[in-house]
Amino acid sequence: VNPKIPDPQVNAKTEFGLLLTLALVIAPHISHVPLWILALTWILIAWRGWMIKRGLRHTNRWILNLLALASFAGVWLSVRSFVGLTGGTSLLIMMVGLKVLEANSNRDRHILLLLAYFLVVTNFMNTQDIGPALYMALLVVLITWTMVQPQLAKNLQSGRPALKISFQLIVQSLPLMLILWILFPRLG
C-alpha cells in the first residue's frame, strides 16, 4: 500500500515567490528573444499574480487554447522556426508563460521550476561572460530556494533554513557538474 504523501503548504506568498522567480529567469533573454515574447510572458505572469490575489484558481480553457494558438503562430511569424537557439528558447519562454496560467497543483509548480532551470541553461548558449554567469548562479540558488521553501513553510516562519538547504543541495551537486563538464563536449 502506497500512502498518500501530503502536499506541502502552498500559500499566496509561495505562489508570488514562484512568479517572481520565473520573471527574473526570463529577464536575461531580453537581447536574444523577440521583445514581444518576453512582454507577453511577463503579462501572463502578472495576470496569474492578479488571479492569486483575487483567489481565482482556474483560467478558462478556451482562453488558454486561444492564447496557445496565438503564441505559437506569433513565435513562428517572428522567428520562422520552432527549432534552433532563438526558436526553441522563444517557444520555451512562451510555454512557461502559458503553463503559469494553468498551474493549479504542486506538480505544475515543480514543472515550472524545472523549466526555469532549462531557461537558465539556454542563456549560457548566448553568453558565457562572468557577469551573466554570476546572475545565472544566483538564479539557480533562487530556483532551488523556491522549490525547497514550500516543503518547510509549514513549520518555519523564516526562509533562511530553506536557503541553507538550497546551498547544501547545490554544493552537493558540484562534483556531478564537474564530471559532466569534463566528459561532455562544450559548445562553441
Side-chain angles (χ1 to χ4, degrees):
V1 177
N2 202 358
K4 181 176 166 66
I5 299 170
D7 284 340
Q9 180 180 358
V10 176
N11 54 28
K13 184 178 176 182
T14 315
E15 293 275 347
F16 284 121
L18 171 65
L19 297 179
L20 177 64
T21 299
L22 292 172
L24 291 173
V25 166
I26 291 166
H29 294 282
I30 199 160
S31 63
H32 315 299
V33 173
L35 189 57
W36 75 267
I37 292 173
L38 297 174
L40 180 58
T41 304
W42 284 323
I43 289 169
L44 295 174
I45 289 170
W47 183 7
R48 179 61 179 183
W50 177 82
M51 288 174 60
I52 292 166
K53 191 168 177 81
R54 296 286 217 171
L56 304 172
R57 300 304 294 166
H58 301 285
T59 305
N60 185 317
R61 276 281 171 216
W62 285 100
I63 293 172
L64 279 175
N65 289 336
L66 288 173
L67 279 170
L69 287 173
S71 298
F72 283 100
V75 169
W76 179 259
L77 293 172
S78 293
V79 184
R80 295 284 183 215
S81 176
F82 292 133
V83 296
L85 186 55
T86 304
T89 304
S90 299
L91 196 58
L92 184 60
I93 290 171
M94 284 307 312
M95 287 192 281
V96 166
L98 293 168
K99 185 66 178 170
V100 163
L101 287 181
E102 71 167 3
N104 291 315
S105 68
N106 286 319
R107 180 184 151 273
D108 293 333
R109 290 177 195 91
H110 283 285
I111 289 170
L112 282 167
L113 289 168
L114 293 174
L115 289 173
Y117 283 122
F118 277 103
L119 285 171
V120 167
V121 171
T122 60
N123 196 54
F124 280 114
M125 295 188 188
N126 292 308
T127 181
Q128 296 169 359
D129 296 334
I130 192 70
L134 291 173
Y135 182 72
M136 293 299 118
L138 288 173
L139 285 177
V140 167
V141 172
L142 181 62
I143 295 166
T144 307
W145 179 82
T146 305
M147 194 175 282
V148 170
Q149 180 63 26
Q151 310 296 328
L152 302 177
K154 194 174 194 179
N155 302 323
L156 304 168
Q157 296 300 318
S158 169
R160 284 190 179 155
L163 188 61
K164 181 180 176 187
I165 291 171
S166 299
F167 276 117
Q168 289 172 343
L169 288 170
I170 291 168
V171 167
Q172 289 171 0
S173 71
L174 287 177
L176 178 62
M177 180 205 59
L178 290 173
I179 289 169
L180 292 174
W181 186 73
I182 290 169
L183 293 179
F184 286 94
R186 288 163 293 287
L187 300 175

